[in-house]
Amino acid sequence: VSTQSTWGPSKANVAMVREVITISIGQCGIQYGNAVWAQYCEEHNIDPDGHPQSDYDPEDRQLLSFFEAQNTEKLDAANQDFVPRQVTVDLESTVIDEIRQGAYRDLYHPEFLLNANEDAANNFARGHYTIGKENIDATSELIRKLTDNSENVQGFIINHAVGGGTGSGLGGLVLERLSVDYRKKSKIGFEVYPSPNLSPVIVEAYNGLLATHLLLDYTEVSLVLDNEAIYEILQRDLKVKRPTYSNVNRIMAKAVSSMTASLRFDGELNVDMNEFQTNLVPFPRLHFMTSSIAPVLSEAKGSKNFESNTVQDITDYAFNPASFLVKYSDFDVAEDKYMAISINCRLRCRRGQVHGHLHQ
């Protein structure tokens, strides 16, 4: 069991920043990727235009693993501007045009927003063999530019869905190219998989199957996400009667942010991307993870409800199948076994407490 905590200053590795490059592919990957960057900006006190807020801490150099400072000489709030280390790719322009005109349009560098003119039409073959293949070289060139701007890249995070055409087809091409060009670098994928009962695309099961064949070989860790499971969490726990994709994306952003927090903040157990693979993957091809987030409480219930939760309560809630971000119809809490577990604690507690509750 690997327990990672993200609090308390640690000066041992302040100077060393190991960059992580994010690649968002396709409509789903881009839209929930935007929610992730909005979450990062909140956590690091950065405005939507990339400028630090007044309470920004200039000593917080660990954020440079995900953000690129435009003025490297001065890191104080008055003279700084931060840009995400991200490449955004889609085969048609609608979703990327929303970024170019949206609230975070000044956060992203326009050079790293890439779109083609013809989409994959929810077809893996179009995304992988025809339209996608025409755009893979331009995508690789943008990734190369970002890596050249970095001192010591530790790995890549890929946001995409495997039920559509671009996320599955072009996503597989990008992962294949990364495996060739950056063989030693870790690749962690956050994949939105088709839901058991909700299906906006009739052929998404086929797209997902073909994409999974590539993910087996080309990602080190894949975190599986599922819209249906998140819809249920929103309706049951947050009392949202009709959840929108915006609501779903924010829950996904919380989960992604919690996993990357140990890369973005100094702490007692600040880790690098290789450690996720080391701790979680028993066999190289068996690397598809079930993610969970706890506690999920609505504002309507009041903050006192949150304060009354103990470490035991939060741990139990995280292991409750109702908290999983993947829908399992036949999961048995008593009979099913965990091969590996990573708990990322974003609360003030001792490691021994969490270990103790896990063994209970």
Side-chain angles (χ1 to χ4, degrees):
V1 175
S2 164
T3 309
Q4 291 141 11
S5 313
T6 54
W7 67 88
S10 167
K11 299 297 178 187
N13 51 4
V14 165
M16 192 176 109
V17 174
R18 299 189 63 208
E19 297 88 354
V20 177
I21 291 172
T22 305
I23 307 166
S24 294
I25 306 167
Q27 177 176 347
C28 175
I30 292 169
Q31 288 181 335
Y32 90 75
N34 290 346
V36 171
W37 284 106
Q39 179 73 25
Y40 290 170
C41 288
E42 284 291 324
E43 292 179 12
H44 290 287
N45 302 313
I46 295 172
D47 283 328
D49 61 359
H51 289 101
Q53 297 169 0
S54 55
D55 53 353
Y56 161 76
D57 177 12
E59 295 294 315
D60 178 16
R61 295 189 57 84
Q62 203 65 32
L63 74 89
L64 297 177
S65 57
F66 278 74
F67 288 89
E68 185 176 350
Q70 297 302 287
N71 184 353
T72 51
E73 301 300 318
K74 299 179 180 178
L75 284 177
D76 59 292
N79 296 292
Q80 198 45 263
D81 190 15
F82 291 105
V83 173
R85 297 183 191 274
Q86 163 158 295
V87 174
T88 307
V89 188
D90 201 2
L91 294 180
E92 54 99 31
S93 61
T94 310
V95 181
I96 292 184
D97 283 345
E98 287 175 11
I99 298 177
R100 292 179 177 129
Q101 296 161 13
Y104 286 83
R105 61 185 177 273
D106 294 326
L107 179 67
Y108 300 98
H109 195 298
E111 183 184 356
F112 296 100
L113 301 174
L114 176 68
N115 65 269
N117 300 318
E118 187 181 357
D119 71 2
N122 295 315
N123 186 317
F124 173 88
R126 278 171 66 88
H128 194 72
Y129 295 111
T130 56
I131 314 295
K133 205 160 196 175
E134 294 167 10
N135 292 278
I136 183 64
D137 288 337
T139 305
S140 298
E141 179 62 18
L142 291 182
I143 295 169
R144 187 194 62 76
K145 282 185 180 177
L146 269 187
T147 53
D148 287 351
N149 285 345
S150 309
E151 290 182 18
N152 186 8
V153 175
Q154 62 174 306
F156 300 89
I157 288 177
I158 296 89
N159 300 323
H160 63 133
V162 298
T166 306
S168 61
L170 181 58
L173 273 179
V174 169
L175 284 166
E176 190 175 354
R177 186 65 67 89
L178 290 175
S179 296
V180 173
D181 294 347
Y182 309 96
R183 187 176 296 275
K184 301 282 177 146
K185 305 298 183 188
S186 291
K187 295 172 293 299
I188 295 181
F190 290 92
E191 278 91 29
V192 180
Y193 263 78
S195 307
N197 301 311
L198 284 174
S199 178
V201 179
I202 197 74
V203 294
E204 65 180 10
Y206 301 101
N207 294 334
L209 181 66
L210 292 163
T212 302
H213 180 69
L214 297 169
L215 295 176
L216 282 169
D217 293 324
Y218 297 131
T219 59
E220 272 68 52
V221 179
S222 287
L223 269 94
V224 179
L225 303 164
D226 170 1
N227 284 342
E228 187 178 338
I230 297 174
Y231 273 126
E232 289 188 6
I233 290 171
L234 285 162
Q235 290 175 326
R236 183 188 63 243
D237 297 334
L238 298 183
K239 310 303 181 194
V240 179
K241 289 182 182 176
R242 292 191 173 183
T244 63
Y245 280 125
S246 176
N247 300 132
V248 172
N249 290 340
R250 289 183 71 180
I251 295 287
M252 288 184 184
K254 297 283 185 191
V256 175
S257 159
S258 297
M259 179 159 177
T260 61
S262 51
L263 306 171
R264 293 180 291 113
F265 293 100
D266 269 335
E268 184 184 344
L269 283 174
N270 181 261
V271 302
D272 69 6
M273 289 177 72
N274 290 321
E275 291 184 46
F276 290 120
Q277 181 187 359
T278 304
N279 290 319
L280 286 170
V281 180
F283 312 107
R285 289 164 68 88
L286 191 64
H287 62 246
F288 294 87
M289 306 297 160
T290 299
S291 45
S292 171
I293 187 168
V296 179
L297 295 171
S298 72
E299 225 174 2
K301 288 185 177 179
S303 59
K304 288 188 178 176
N305 225 356
F306 178 80
E307 289 166 9
S308 65
N309 275 323
T310 63
V311 175
Q312 175 75 65
D313 293 335
I314 294 172
T315 308
D316 290 344
Y317 192 79
F319 283 91
N320 183 342
S323 302
F324 291 174
L325 302 185
V326 190
K327 180 81 173 168
Y328 291 126
S329 53
D330 56 352
F331 185 86
D332 188 317
V333 182
E335 293 297 323
D336 291 347
K337 300 289 185 282
Y338 296 100
M339 295 186 74
I341 300 167
S342 169
I343 299 182
N344 298 10
C345 296
R346 303 189 74 177
L347 68 159
R348 291 194 176 276
C349 68
R350 295 187 305 278
R351 269 180 293 166
Q353 281 182 286
V354 180
H355 278 290
H357 294 314
L358 278 173
H359 291 302
Q360 289 175 21

